[in-house]
Amino acid sequence: MKVHFLGGADEIGASCVMVQTAGGARVLVDCGLRPDADGAAALPDLEAVAAAGGPDAIVVTHAHLDHGGALPVVSDFFPAAPVYATVATARLLGILLADAVKVMAAKKQERRSVPLYSMEGVERLMERLVPLDLDRPVRVGDAGVTLYPAGHVVGAAQVLVGTDEGDVLVTGDVSGEGQRTVAGMWVPRVRPALLVCESTYGDRIHADRKAEEARLVRRVVDAAAEGRRVLVPSFALGRAQEVVLALAGEANAAGVEVWVDGLVRSVCDAMSGLASWLAPSLRRRMEKGKSPLRDGVGPVRFVRDAQQRKELVDRRGLVVVASSGMLTGGPSLAFAKAWLGDEDALVVLTGYQDEESPGRALQEVAEGRCTKLVLEGRETDVAASVEKVGLSAHADGSELARMVEALAPYRTALVHGDAGARVALATRLAEGSHRPVILPGRGEVVEAGARRRPAGAPVDAGVTREKLEALVKR
């Protein structure tokens, strides 16, 4: 078995892995976009997919665009390949891809890039999507493909490609701890020949989630109750719903309105039809029509249009939860441009910020390292208060290490992380066992190995201390 790392190996973005079995089956897992690139530069290495003969099947771990944003491109190139996903991922992916089409069209108007696909391309992809139940394998050549819950966001799954020779488990993005919207991941009862494991926060230990939520609620609701403007930029799928659910009770008691804007609105609407995929307590509230993710339930209001958004910009004493979470576009950018110069405004960052994003610059403001950032090409002075709260939907280094220990794979490849995160987690794993750890680069092909190593066969040393030190220096 071979695993081709076509994107998202030594980076966060354009996640794409192809598993090639000994019997010749080719399973493509994810096909995402790079968030800081346009046009072809945003894509994984699809030429390598074509060179291998194209996929026999495509499997999507979850709906975030860094994992599924390039699916219309690869699916149009290989229309005979079925595209498998959970029902929830399929529903949410359609919403996020439709929004991506709008964003690409806007960039075309600005003469920045040519769109990668159209709404017709998204519709063709959706027609090829085949719902796959959790823990119910589907046959692809000599392999069985099975999905297992990954936590992270609604519908997210780990992908197991199993053969008689051995198994490859691709985690996608995982979270061991349950959230308000979704339960935590499962640890499948398998021992993979190769585990392809995310490492986004492999170098960190998260703060206690309940304590961080309490801090978020206290700061945001108190600030709005004092008449301040509060902006919480959030990822449309996952983080935004977690924030709204955390705020709703206290905001309602304090008489503070929480306004939801951008793609967040559509995702919240979709979740009302995905109740069976939600965490039990939220599912019960959804079924009774009492969930704050609905417009007008409790203090939550959905922004109707651009005119209402302009009116809200001039108001005080309110909270706005809006996409995008990195301030790369969408309504969050509009509110930020209007409010960052107001010393009575508060901006709360709750998630990962890409290195090239305005959100990362704002994070540096929160850390006291600068007082300015660039928004749409213009330098902006930041007078508003900026704070960070840890509500990550990714497992931290300790959770990932425990997961790897429980699975006991013969080899582990760490992906979806920067050099610091991958090296820290690799060091921890290498010190905890004698099993090899691999840090693949983009375009690298790795032998997955057999389920059992033949007697006398050499042991791959994986990541040595010298390799780790070289990566750190690089």
Side-chain angles (χ1 to χ4, degrees):
M1 296 177 72
K2 295 180 180 179
V3 176
H4 303 249
F5 294 91
L6 308 175
D10 48 3
E11 60 183 331
I12 296 177
S15 288
C16 190
V17 169
M18 185 166 68
V19 181
Q20 191 168 5
T21 70
R26 296 176 296 276
V27 180
L28 192 71
V29 181
D30 284 343
C31 193
L33 294 174
R34 291 185 180 88
D36 56 349
D38 294 322
L43 296 171
D45 182 9
L46 299 184
E47 184 179 359
V49 179
D56 296 302
I58 303 168
V59 190
V60 193
T61 60
H62 64 287
H64 281 153
L65 294 183
D66 61 329
H67 289 258
L71 285 169
V73 177
V74 73
S75 183
D76 270 350
F77 267 106
F78 308 106
V83 184
Y84 294 105
T86 66
V87 169
T89 291
R91 175 80 180 276
L92 295 166
L93 184 64
I95 294 170
L96 269 63
L97 289 174
D99 185 72
V101 169
K102 295 178 183 178
V103 172
M104 286 188 283
K107 289 181 178 180
K108 179 184 178 182
Q109 292 294 324
E110 299 167 6
R111 299 182 180 181
R112 289 170 57 187
S113 66
V114 177
L116 290 169
Y117 47 83
S118 64
M119 195 61 214
E120 289 75 19
V122 173
E123 291 169 354
R124 287 192 295 271
L125 168 70
M126 300 310 292
E127 290 173 358
R128 296 173 188 138
L129 269 166
V130 180
L132 187 58
D133 290 336
L134 295 169
D135 203 15
R136 295 286 181 88
V138 64
R139 179 59 54 178
V140 179
D142 63 325
V145 176
T146 311
L147 303 183
Y148 296 98
H152 187 56
V153 297
V154 175
Q158 305 165 75
V159 178
L160 179 73
V161 181
T163 71
D164 291 338
E165 182 186 50
D167 303 327
V168 174
L169 178 63
V170 182
T171 66
D173 292 348
V174 294
S175 175
E177 184 179 4
Q179 302 171 64
R180 290 175 180 266
T181 53
V182 65
M185 66 171 288
W186 290 8
V187 178
R189 293 183 178 179
V190 296
R191 188 178 184 190
L194 178 67
L195 171 65
V196 180
C197 180
E198 73 126 315
S199 60
T200 315
Y201 289 113
D203 57 348
R204 301 184 199 178
I205 297 178
H206 293 324
D208 179 78
R209 189 178 187 86
K210 290 184 178 179
E212 287 294 281
E213 283 189 354
R215 186 163 69 90
L216 167 76
V217 171
R218 184 171 60 252
R219 287 291 293 123
V220 167
V221 174
D222 286 353
E226 293 167 1
R228 300 175 66 184
R229 298 160 165 162
V230 184
L231 172 64
V232 187
S234 299
F235 292 117
L237 169 58
R239 193 66 42 79
Q241 290 75 37
E242 293 289 320
V243 169
V244 170
L245 291 168
L247 291 175
E250 292 296 326
N252 198 39
V256 169
E257 292 179 352
V258 178
W259 288 86
V260 170
D261 201 1
L263 189 58
V264 180
R265 298 170 302 183
S266 299
V267 173
C268 288
D269 278 340
M271 283 191 177
S272 64
L274 297 170
S276 63
W277 292 87
L278 303 177
S281 61
L282 178 58
R283 179 173 66 242
R284 289 190 291 270
R285 295 169 76 183
M286 276 285 189
E287 291 170 346
K288 294 177 182 178
K290 296 181 179 179
S291 169
L293 299 183
R294 294 179 182 271
D295 187 14
V297 175
V300 179
R301 303 286 184 273
F302 287 9
V303 179
R304 293 189 305 272
D305 50 36
Q307 179 57 41
Q308 187 174 40
R309 185 176 304 125
K310 289 179 181 178
E311 294 170 0
L312 292 175
V313 162
D314 294 329
R315 285 182 49 185
R316 294 184 176 273
L318 75 164
V319 181
V320 174
V321 180
S323 53
S324 74
M326 298 186 194
L327 297 174
T328 52
S332 68
L333 180 58
F335 283 101
K337 286 162 58 178
W339 289 355
L340 283 178
D342 180 2
E343 61 183 13
D344 278 339
L346 170 65
V347 180
V348 181
L349 302 174
T350 62
Y352 177 81
Q353 303 294 329
D354 185 77
E355 287 187 7
E356 304 300 322
S357 69
R360 175 60 69 91
L362 200 57
Q363 181 175 300
E364 293 180 356
V365 173
E367 295 166 353
R369 290 191 280 166
C370 65
T371 59
K372 301 176 184 288
L373 77 159
V374 176
L375 293 177
E376 295 188 324
R378 294 184 180 182
E379 189 173 74
T380 301
D381 289 310
V382 180
S385 302
V386 184
E387 298 184 15
K388 296 189 302 176
V389 174
L391 296 181
S392 177
H394 291 266
D396 64 15
S398 293
E399 283 184 295
L400 292 170
R402 292 196 300 272
M403 179 190 71
V404 174
E405 181 180 359
L407 286 164
Y410 289 90
R411 305 170 81 196
T412 300
L414 299 181
V415 299
H416 199 282
D418 61 26
R422 292 207 301 166
V423 167
L425 184 55
T427 302
R428 182 169 188 161
L429 295 176
E431 290 173 349
S433 75
H434 299 294
R435 292 186 292 273
V437 180
I438 307 162
L439 300 182
R442 188 193 310 177
E444 193 168 337
V445 181
V446 170
E447 294 281 348
R451 190 183 304 275
R452 293 182 178 84
R453 186 170 57 87
V459 177
D460 184 347
V463 177
T464 63
R465 176 63 59 183
E466 291 75 18
K467 289 180 182 178
L468 291 175
E469 291 175 351
L471 274 169
V472 172
K473 290 178 182 177
R474 188 172 67 184

